[in-house]
Amino acid sequence: MLRISLITVSYAVLVGLAPPAAGQQRVERRLTVGERTPIRVHNLTGSTTVRGWAHDSVVLTGTLPAGATLYFGGSAGGVKGGVELADPADTMPAHLELRVPRGARVWIKSASGDITVEGVSGGLDVYTVSGRVSVRGAAAELTAESMDGAVTVEAGRWARVKTASGAIAVTGGEDVGVATVTGAVTYAADAFRRARLESVSGDLTFRGAVPRGSRLELESHGGQVTVEVPAALSAEIAITTFQGEVHNAFGSQSLRPLPDQRGRALEFTAGTGGADLIVRTFKGDVRLLRASAKTTR
Amino acid sequence: MSNPALSFPPHAFSGRRAVPVPRVTDAVARAAAGDRAAFETLYREHAGRVYALCLRLAGDTTRAEEYTQDVFVRAWQRLASFRGDAAFSSWLHRLAVNVVLQDRRAERRRLRRVEPTDDLGSAPAPRDRIAARLDLETAIAALPDAARQVFVLYDIEGYGHAEIGRLLGIAEGTSKAHLHRARRLLREALER
Amino acid sequence: MSDCERIGVLLDDYLSGTLRAGDRTEVERHLEACPTCAREAETLRRLLADARALPRSIAPPRDLWRGIDARLEEERPARSGRRFIRVRPRLLAAAAVVLVAVTAAVAVQLARPPAQAPLAGGPAVTAPRYAAVAADYAAAVRELEASFVQRYDRLPPETRAVVSRNLAVIDTAIAEARAALAAAGPNPDLETLLWASYRAKLDLLGRATKL
Ligand SMILES: [Zn+2]
């Protein structure tokens, strides 16, 4: 996960630094803003990279395809920047790199471009259709959506991630919600308060510890649900499935059929309870696994 | 429908602060006679108030939508019994409280689990200006069921403990204990 | 019990204004002398003021009237009056658009909600609510599908493919959950899964329409 985002980042950096190819134009703009200034960036094709820094200014650098124009302006009340393509059908990529105050609230919209964000702690809203999203350095509030691109994020306090088919990998966070139709989801955390993963057919995987007082919910129609937790798990566990199989490495309890063909359920308390682990599938299999000591943090 | 005459004073809804306004409006009378267009007018007028109440009592947006619909269906069935000795809005408010609490009690019996499940995205993201208010709403939604219901009824809607005890089927003292717990949990949640 | 603990217990009633006079004086004296409890009281007072200032009305995130309207048909008021049968041209037009074959099949199923017995011991409200929520979702889906069809040609071919593929997966899931519900009767877990699939569909269509 880490490797992927690093590659994305270094790629973006290289592109940003490379001399412009024929027909391309280099751009650079600066603005002094406030610590928490909202910043909106529109870059439909090509990559957008945003890094938080400890200055009250926004610096935008990048390369644009021939004929494209850059708009960029604003004040401490808000900054708006983006690329207007000469021809809407033009898919030559523009590459933008922004430095923004760490506490800024950043909003980025793209269509096919990748979005990379590092070290923005204020708030983050990123939307792309087919691009990839990579976020490092926990924004307090994060919304990330992609249709088809993979989304990899380090969650801060509150995070919501959505894709249609893009794979999702989330780490950390306190209040985390993830939804996909067919993408695969992995969530790794050990200090969350509330997390909910849902899919229609994508596989859902949780790895980490279920903290006391937390609530972890995984819900899928047809995806396989895997929960890999330390042997010291302490939680109230409620698994229901209509047609799926359940593999339970925590005890000998087995699925009991619910009355009236309402599916099957497995409910038990691991350890002394104190947290809720809830899994619901229609036909996806459910695996409750003990993490080997090595993979446990 | 040009003059729905539904302008109740804003405080007509809340229990302790309630000032019953006895009148049967035109729309209420027509709806009671089976006029669905008139009933839709009533829905448009009161949906926001009913939804807010259901949302806070249930702590869950999906449930709140279902309850809001249940409330209006129930209101439709019972309109004939609405006598107009209280404001329609107060009557509807009472009905909403009953619908939600009855169902929550039945559900608790059924599910054993009482913590609220809200679906993805139903807990609103705190945002800028309205952050404080939304934080409070989020914190209320995250309270345990009974504590949340007592807090909403007592501190937001202005009901008394005796009445809440009756509605929830608990002792007055228990209602007080829930309120104390709710306030403490909210303070902790908001101080973080 | 220490003084502060005792005050902590009385604080609720004090701030609610329901404390007896004697106790009230005691609390007030303590608050003047003890900054910790005074701060506590101030925080609480602010919390209660914020709670009272919360908006009394919140617009529902989607229009719930259609779901209500659908149920009024079956559940007449005690004093029976005229029947209003309203044709909704917008929905009819939308329903005519067969986006994905399965969707149409689901829509037909939704028009005839399966007969359901109330869950033993559970609230009888489940069955009508199920039908109403299903009808509401179906109507919302049909509307969004109509707008999506209008946008469809303007989407890049890759995006069209992604959206269609995902819609097909959702439609299959909806059909499976509905069939299971029809066979098994009311079932909160299945309903939860069905609503989740509907929400996934609404969300996907909504996003695709805004692209
Ligand atoms: Zn003290």
Side-chain angles (χ1 to χ4, degrees), chain C residues 3-4 7 30 34 36-37:
Chain C
D3 266 9
C4 292
I7 297 301
H30 183 91
C34 172
T36 313
C37 285

Side-chain angles (χ1 to χ4, degrees), chain B residues 125-155:
Chain B
R127 286 280 184 265
D128 302 332
R129 282 197 315 276
I130 48 173
R133 175 169 81 66
L134 288 186
D135 277 349
L136 178 55
E137 295 274 26
T138 310
I140 292 171
L143 287 173
D145 255 14
R148 186 184 57 250
Q149 288 158 3
V150 172
F151 180 82
V152 169
L153 291 176
Y154 192 92
D155 278 335

